[in-house]
Amino acid sequence: MHFLHVRSAHEGATPLLLAHTYPGSSVDYLAVIDRLVDPVAHGGRAEDAFDVVIPDAPGYGFPQPLASAGWTTARVAAAYDRLMRGLGYDSYGIHGSDNGAMVARELGLLDPAGFLGLHVLQLFSFPSGDPAEFEKLEPADYAGLEHMQWFQSVGGYNTMNSSRPQTVSVGISDSPVGLLAYSELFNSFGNGTSLVPLEKILLEVSVNWFANAASGMNRSYLENARADAAADAAEDAGPRINTARTGVAVFSDDFQTIRVFAERDNANIVHWSRFDEGGHFAALERPDLLADDIRAFFADVR
């Protein structure tokens, strides 16, 4: 497993794992590292410092190729816990976005000893079909529902990745332009819902190109689809409620997590922030706002 490990010079820094997006890698967080490791240099307090660990998920970024199948988000979460223990941390928290937000929630479900909680940019909770849920919605929540519908209309790569990832990966492993265009690498990073600088887009795509990561990162969708199908078929399948301490930061141009649905699936949401700027890749767009919100969430558990 490839990871970045940056220790703070401040004594008693809180260990924090940063889990990246699809189609990102550990470079998602390069602009956030110093703000978290050395808050004093950015107008913060020494007691708000973190030691940060930023892995590339198996199949993503540098650790190629995968040696086995079955790398679901749940398995990645368990591997991340093992990584943190191996680095000597018996207590830590996690922040995640997109794919990383799902890994973070899996860690919440696992809730290992010493786990301080999860801070995410999205909780992917959707309507259950119960009409009573809609009675609790606020006006702003209906905009979130419209965003869900829009995402379904443009998110065809989800279907492809969860059914034929190896097939499409042949083409995008043969063409850097194809890699840029596919999986919304270009659309996600710069389609008007995000304002990621061009040099950061090219850095993200270059990592996946030179590491030949297209197949591995796309296959993660298939692994999760198979795991979900197996869980749905299980006779004792029931709701998977996250009870770990949870914080959410909702950026204006990102997926709009709807709190009514999120609280149905996550029983211990103690922090909720909304920002009127920023998109799906907040670590690349507004690292200052993101770092501040991470510090605010973990301040109560230091």
Side-chain angles (χ1 to χ4, degrees):
M1 180 177 288
H2 171 270
F3 60 94
L4 307 178
H5 186 197
V6 185
R7 295 184 184 272
S8 175
H10 298 294
E11 186 176 353
T14 301
L16 178 68
L17 195 151
L18 301 175
H20 64 75
T21 62
Y22 172 94
S25 66
S26 53
V27 300
D28 281 9
Y29 293 109
L30 292 181
V32 181
I33 293 174
D34 194 60
R35 298 173 189 275
L36 296 174
V37 171
D38 188 8
V40 174
H42 299 273
R45 306 175 304 170
E47 55 264 39
D48 292 329
F50 295 91
D51 288 345
V52 297
V53 178
I54 316 174
D56 287 336
Y60 291 74
F62 292 103
Q64 299 297 324
L66 287 174
S68 63
W71 281 103
T72 63
T73 53
R75 185 178 176 188
V76 173
Y80 282 180
D81 181 65
R82 185 176 178 184
L83 170 63
M84 295 301 282
R85 309 296 173 178
L87 292 173
Y89 297 121
D90 56 9
S91 179
Y92 67 94
I94 185 172
H95 161 78
S97 176
D98 189 80
N99 176 68
M102 293 187 285
V103 173
R105 186 174 183 275
E106 287 292 340
L107 258 176
L109 292 168
L110 185 63
D111 200 13
F115 186 58
L116 299 177
L118 58 142
H119 178 277
V120 296
L121 299 192
Q122 311 89 11
L123 286 173
F124 296 106
S125 294
F126 301 96
S128 67
D130 182 357
E133 286 184 338
F134 290 90
E135 297 175 2
K136 304 175 184 178
L137 297 185
E138 299 179 358
D141 294 329
Y142 288 96
L145 287 173
E146 291 179 4
H147 188 282
M148 289 181 186
Q149 292 176 331
W150 170 81
F151 182 79
Q152 286 297 107
S153 71
V154 300
Y157 71 94
N158 285 284
T159 302
M160 180 65 79
N161 287 354
S162 60
S163 58
R164 294 291 186 272
Q166 307 295 112
T167 302
V168 72
S169 293
V170 172
I172 61 177
S173 295
D174 192 53
S175 166
V177 175
L179 181 63
L180 179 67
Y182 186 69
S183 300
E184 296 204 304
L185 274 165
F186 182 76
N187 287 338
S188 287
F189 286 131
N191 69 350
T193 64
S194 287
L195 297 174
V196 181
L198 178 60
E199 64 271 18
K200 293 185 178 181
I201 297 174
L202 296 178
L203 173 62
E204 294 276 3
V205 178
S206 296
V207 168
N208 287 325
W209 174 253
F210 289 113
N212 196 20
S215 178
M217 68 183 186
N218 287 351
R219 186 179 175 86
S220 66
Y221 282 71
L222 176 64
E223 302 291 1
N224 286 320
R226 288 175 172 174
D228 290 344
D232 290 342
E235 294 183 359
D236 59 347
R240 301 172 71 237
I241 307 299
N242 163 39
T243 60
R245 188 174 182 275
T246 301
V248 185
V250 182
F251 285 80
S252 60
D253 297 317
D254 189 15
F255 176 88
Q256 297 297 291
T257 301
I258 296 176
R259 190 158 188 167
V260 170
F261 306 150
E263 288 180 338
R264 179 197 64 215
D265 302 329
N266 304 274
N268 193 15
I269 298 175
V270 298
H271 175 93
W272 191 281
S273 299
R274 285 191 175 276
F275 296 95
D276 58 8
E277 58 182 308
H280 192 60
F281 296 86
L284 299 172
E285 298 175 63
R286 292 306 308 264
D288 52 343
L289 295 179
L290 177 58
D292 287 348
D293 205 67
I294 291 173
R295 283 199 293 265
F297 172 68
F298 286 103
D300 293 338
V301 298
R302 296 182 189 280

